[in-house]
Amino acid sequence: MISRLVEWALTQRLLVVLGALGIVGGGYLAVQGLAVDAFPDVSPVLVQVTTESPGLAPPEVEALVTYPVEVAMNGLPGVTRIQSISAFGLSQVSVYFRDEVDIYFARQLVFERLESARDAIPAGLGDPALGPVTTGLGQVYQYLIVGEGLSLDSLRTIQDWVVKPQLRAVPGVTEVLSFGGHVKQFQVQLDPNRLVQYGVTVEEVIGALERNNANAGGGFIVRSPEEYLVRGLGFVTSLEDIGTVIVAERENTPVYVRNVGRVAIGAEVRRGAVSVNGEGEAVAGIVLKRIYENTSSVIEGVRAQVKVINAAMPPGVRLAPFYDQADLVDRAVATVRDALLEGGALILLVLLLFLGNLRSALIV
């Protein structure tokens, strides 16, 4: 009886190992919920606070943005060190916690201190926000947006407004990053001479655009058994709408945005580009895995979503992956599996020679 119990226990342990290595059916692996990865994630418990401050030089970013955030993070329980980077138009503060601190508890602590940091940063110089819940090993899937005959502007628009929201909905994905191309903008290119001519300041133009780009609700009117909603539609939808915004009034004559500048579609200022095999620029995306998630499960969900996205894309446009961490995981697991099988076969042979009993050798 005891020998049978020992045999059953050893068999169950063997099934667990084989299931984790993919030797037995995947159903057993799913039941056990074992996470299979190519390498352990030894990243520290880290929370990053990022602040965009367009136009500011690194010294101003350090003094006006980074320093207030660092001061706000001092004294948090479990913090081991605080590091920061101040670049042109960008501040990044990294808050490290002890290994036993839960990552989501650490993020909550940092988030609570961000309010005091926002109050210390001068108005208009940036709004600090938490970075994604991921680590340096979280880049599990990378792809290109390939479109025949489409401009970089169009490809980047597809990436930001079509592909990115759908991939972020995949379980285990915390963020999708966009690279390359041109970010579309509606721009008002002011003419200094016209501003002087009409006596209008840049602040007046900015304020007028902000005030004239909003919808408003006015309740409802009851007529017999029906209700009619009252709405004020003010969102701009075209270049003509922007151009007809009234900036000021001079001598009983309205001054429009089109009178003081040129309204056009442009692109956001870039700090880099993406090229493919030296053949020109392209638009790329990186899928970031949430910390502690099973890499294989996340990539499986991303692959399924990519098929759905490609099926709905216009003709000639598709997602072309060029890095898939699942391949690395499969190769690493295959190496371990082959090593265990070879070692097990060798041990089995030795035990058979010494014990002369196949059943005992298999149990060991």
Side-chain angles (χ1 to χ4, degrees):
M1 181 65 181
I2 296 178
S3 62
R4 289 186 177 275
L5 289 175
V6 172
E7 180 180 352
W8 177 85
L10 292 174
T11 303
Q12 293 299 311
R13 175 58 59 184
L14 179 61
L15 284 175
V16 170
V17 175
L18 296 179
L21 296 175
I23 299 175
V24 300
Y28 187 84
L29 175 60
V31 172
Q32 294 295 320
L34 298 176
V36 181
D37 211 332
F39 30 69
D41 193 343
V42 295
S43 303
V45 180
L46 168 65
V47 180
Q48 291 185 324
V49 179
T50 304
T51 309
E52 293 186 13
S53 303
L56 286 187
E60 283 74 29
V61 172
E62 174 68 26
L64 301 177
V65 180
T66 302
Y67 180 73
V69 174
E70 287 182 335
V71 171
M73 297 302 136
N74 286 331
L76 285 176
V79 172
T80 58
R81 70 181 187 275
I82 300 175
Q83 297 179 343
S84 65
I85 298 176
S86 297
F88 174 75
L90 179 65
S91 167
Q92 185 179 75
V93 178
S94 301
V95 185
Y96 293 84
F97 290 81
R98 291 196 300 265
D99 292 340
E100 64 269 17
V101 178
D102 180 73
I103 181 62
Y104 295 101
F105 176 67
R107 290 176 65 86
Q108 180 63 32
L109 292 176
V110 173
F111 182 78
E112 292 174 354
R113 291 289 185 92
L114 281 185
E115 193 61 34
S116 61
R118 292 189 180 98
D119 294 338
I121 297 175
L125 295 188
D127 185 19
L130 297 182
V133 193
T134 187
T135 66
L137 304 178
Q139 300 183 16
V140 297
Y141 195 87
Q142 301 181 22
Y143 59 89
L144 296 173
I145 303 292
V146 180
E148 299 177 0
L150 293 181
S151 64
L152 292 175
D153 300 10
S154 301
L155 294 177
R156 181 59 183 262
T157 300
I158 293 174
Q159 160 64 13
D160 290 338
W161 297 99
V162 178
V163 176
K164 187 174 180 177
Q166 295 189 57
L167 289 180
R168 289 185 65 178
V170 176
V173 173
T174 183
E175 185 59 273
V176 179
L177 305 179
S178 301
F179 295 92
H182 301 279
V183 179
K184 182 180 178 180
Q185 286 185 337
F186 291 87
Q187 298 179 347
V188 177
Q189 302 168 2
L190 297 176
D191 186 337
N193 295 325
R194 292 187 181 183
L195 290 176
V196 174
Q197 177 183 350
Y198 288 99
V200 176
T201 64
V202 176
E203 287 74 16
E204 287 180 304
V205 177
I206 295 175
L209 291 172
E210 292 176 346
R211 292 191 303 269
N212 287 271
N213 185 34
N215 285 358
F220 59 90
I221 299 175
V222 179
R223 288 184 177 271
S224 299
E226 297 180 344
E227 292 181 351
Y228 293 88
L229 299 179
V230 179
R231 301 169 60 201
L233 303 180
F235 280 135
V236 295
T237 58
S238 64
L239 297 178
E240 290 74 17
D241 292 343
I242 300 175
T244 55
V245 171
I246 298 177
V247 178
E249 186 175 324
R250 297 292 183 265
E251 300 179 357
N252 298 324
T253 301
V255 179
Y256 299 98
V257 170
R258 64 171 181 263
N259 298 137
V260 295
R262 175 174 175 267
V263 182
I265 294 178
E268 185 180 276
V269 178
R270 297 196 299 173
R271 296 286 292 169
V274 175
S275 63
V276 181
N277 298 326
E279 299 175 355
E281 292 191 40
V283 176
I286 299 179
V287 178
L288 301 182
K289 178 195 71 170
R290 187 180 301 116
I291 190 173
Y292 306 137
E293 291 287 340
N294 190 335
T295 301
S296 299
S297 301
V298 174
I299 295 179
E300 183 179 351
V302 171
R303 286 174 174 174
Q305 190 64 34
V306 167
K307 293 181 180 179
V308 174
I309 295 174
N310 281 335
M313 283 289 190
V317 182
R318 62 184 177 87
L319 270 69
F322 63 89
Y323 174 76
D324 189 332
Q325 201 174 95
D327 297 335
L328 178 62
V329 174
D330 294 339
R331 290 176 180 271
V333 171
T335 300
V336 177
R337 180 190 62 215
D338 295 343
L340 287 178
L341 288 176
E342 294 170 0
L346 182 60
I347 292 175
L348 178 63
L349 178 61
V350 172
L351 290 175
L352 280 175
L353 294 177
F354 281 92
L355 299 178
N357 188 303
L358 179 60
R359 183 178 179 183
S360 300
L362 287 174
I363 291 176
V364 174

